Amino acid sequence: MKPMQQLEAQDIDVSRFEYDDSVVLAADFGYVGSSSVEVVDDTVIVVADDEQYDIELEGDARAFMKNGVLTIEVSA
């Protein structure tokens, strides 16, 4: 399964933007009461309303969530 397919399978809208030096992935979780996101090695761990998503990536990544939108920036 590709990195963001598990989110798409959960009906979470995912967008991908490619730039010269990075790739940005954005996933819209909609309203979430509580959320957290952490990058551990090559995995982005997202907890949104007591549901956990582990997203495997290759490369240096940083991630944050604001207003229900998860943004992951991966260096190329």
Side-chain angles (χ1 to χ4, degrees), residues 12-13 27-32 35 48 64-71:
I12 296 171
D13 292 326
D28 188 354
F29 283 78
Y31 174 79
V32 290
S35 64
F64 57 92
M65 184 176 279
K66 183 174 182 181
N67 296 329
V69 176
L70 169 67
T71 304

Side-chain angles (χ1 to χ4, degrees), residues 16-37:
R16 178 185 176 102
F17 305 94
E18 293 190 30
Y19 301 99
D20 291 337
D21 60 347
S22 65
V23 174
V24 176
L25 305 167
D28 188 354
F29 283 78
Y31 174 79
V32 290
S34 63
S35 64
S36 68
V37 61

Side-chain angles (χ1 to χ4, degrees), residues 44-70:
V44 177
I45 302 169
V46 180
V47 178
D49 284 339
D50 298 325
E51 299 249 354
Q52 181 171 322
Y53 304 89
D54 297 339
I55 305 162
E56 300 290 327
L57 300 171
E58 292 181 17
D60 293 328
R62 62 186 196 132
F64 57 92
M65 184 176 279
K66 183 174 182 181
N67 296 329
V69 176
L70 169 67

